[in-house]
Each structure stands twice: as structure tokens, then as C-alpha cells.
Amino acid sequence: MNRILPLLASMLFMAALAPPALADRGEARLDALFARLKATSTLDEAQAVERDIWRSWYAHENPEVERIMRGGRENFGHGDRVAARIAFGRALTIDPEYAEAWNARATAHYVLGDCERALADIEQVLALEPRHFGALAGRGLCLEREDKPLAAMRAYEQSLAIHPHQPTTAARLAALEDLMGERDI
């Protein structure tokens, strides 16, 4: 658990530190990025494509939404998860179709210990962007926390099917596979 919080924070920070992109949630661009992600053969190459995907997900055509999200990520990074969650919710009141605001708020819910709300927000993310490997990995973390290892394993497998080069997600899946193997004995 103690290793999971820094992972979530670093994922949020990585996306926050990415240079702002033009508003581009276009399917054609994302389709091309996901095709490249599947074709990558090295972790470095996959991480570069992943950064481009996160930039695309974070981009929003409304500067006010981008400002609110940036403030939420800053709050999150400074440890004020409640303020971050509120900011991400404000972004959603402006654009309830913005998958990354749902994902960011799900992350804040998770870190604040509210898996029920995190999972509800993750469902919204996946309804808007079914390829959101971060939301699927987040679903796995929540299900692990709720002691639902088989469901968590399925979520991690779904995430890795989309983005095979996720060392932390692969490690979580392997740990659960080991755990389940021990439970069968």
C-alpha cells in the first residue's frame, strides 16, 4: 500500500509536467498512438508513446478547465487531496464528458480511501475512453484494496492488454497470481 501512493502521485505528476498540448482528444490521433503503443518493443519507446497519450487525454479545448485541472494536480502534488478532488469535480461540472477529469477525481478518491466513489468514477472514465489503461490499473488497485483479487487480476490484465509495458501493473498482477497460487494450496 505504501508503495502504491507514490506510484499514483508520480503518474499524476508525470501527466501534469507534460507540456501543454493543443486540445486534441481526436480519435484518429489516439488510435495512431495506441497502435504505436502496441507495436513498441522497449520500455523507453512505450513510455514516450504513453506520455503522448496522457498529453492527449489531459488536453482540453476550454482554458478554464485546463486551469482548474492544473490547480487540482498542484493541490494533489502538495498533499491536499481533498482540494484536488474538489477541483476535479469543478472541471466535471463544466465538462462531464472529460474522461481525464473523471480519472483524476477517481485517483483522489482512491488516495482518500474511498474506493466506492473511485470505482464509480472509473466506470465513467471507461465509458468515455475504454482504452484508459490508467483507469483500468486504478480499478485493479481499488479491487485489491477491497480484497477482490480475481477481479483485480482481470482489471490488471485488461490494462496490460492495452499497454503491455507497465512494470508496476505487471508486478501487481504477478503478486496477485502468486497470492492466488498460495491460496489454492
Side-chain angles (χ1 to χ4, degrees):
M1 168 70 177
N2 288 340
R3 291 185 298 190
I4 294 172
L5 288 178
L7 167 69
L8 289 171
S10 69
M11 286 171 51
L12 200 55
F13 265 141
M14 184 174 77
L17 296 176
L22 295 175
D24 182 3
R25 289 190 276 171
E27 285 302 308
R29 181 170 192 278
L30 278 172
D31 288 346
L33 288 170
F34 278 104
R36 280 183 48 209
L37 186 62
K38 278 254 193 208
T40 60
S41 58
T42 68
L43 179 60
D44 288 341
E45 186 182 357
Q47 287 175 334
V49 176
E50 178 184 333
R51 279 190 298 274
D52 289 342
I53 290 170
W54 282 106
R55 282 185 192 113
S56 184
W57 282 340
Y58 268 104
H60 197 280
E61 61 277 0
N62 183 331
E64 178 65 8
V65 171
E66 285 204 342
R67 185 190 66 74
I68 292 168
M69 290 295 291
R70 191 172 37 258
R73 290 190 301 270
E74 288 172 7
N75 288 330
F76 192 95
H78 293 299
D80 192 347
R81 279 37 173 207
V82 172
R85 180 177 61 189
I86 291 167
F88 302 140
R90 284 185 27 234
L92 287 168
T93 61
I94 296 170
D95 184 0
E97 300 293 310
Y98 185 28
E100 199 48 44
W102 288 105
N103 187 60
R105 192 172 77 173
T107 302
H109 284 313
Y110 173 81
V111 172
L112 290 166
D114 191 343
C115 279
E116 185 177 335
R117 285 185 176 167
L119 287 167
D121 281 2
I122 288 168
E123 292 310 310
Q124 294 294 322
V125 175
L126 296 172
L128 295 165
E129 176 50 84
R131 301 169 295 189
H132 203 298
F133 51 84
L136 287 163
R139 178 191 277 167
L141 292 171
C142 285
L143 293 168
E144 255 191 276
R145 187 180 277 178
E146 292 182 340
D147 196 29
K148 298 177 181 174
L150 292 175
M153 288 170 60
R154 281 192 302 277
Y156 292 141
E157 289 166 349
Q158 290 170 329
S159 182
L160 289 165
I162 296 165
H163 180 357
H165 297 283
Q166 297 178 81
T168 304
T169 302
R172 296 297 326 139
L173 176 60
L176 285 175
E177 289 171 341
D178 289 347
L179 176 67
M180 295 310 294
E182 291 173 11
R183 285 188 181 180
D184 289 342
I185 296 175

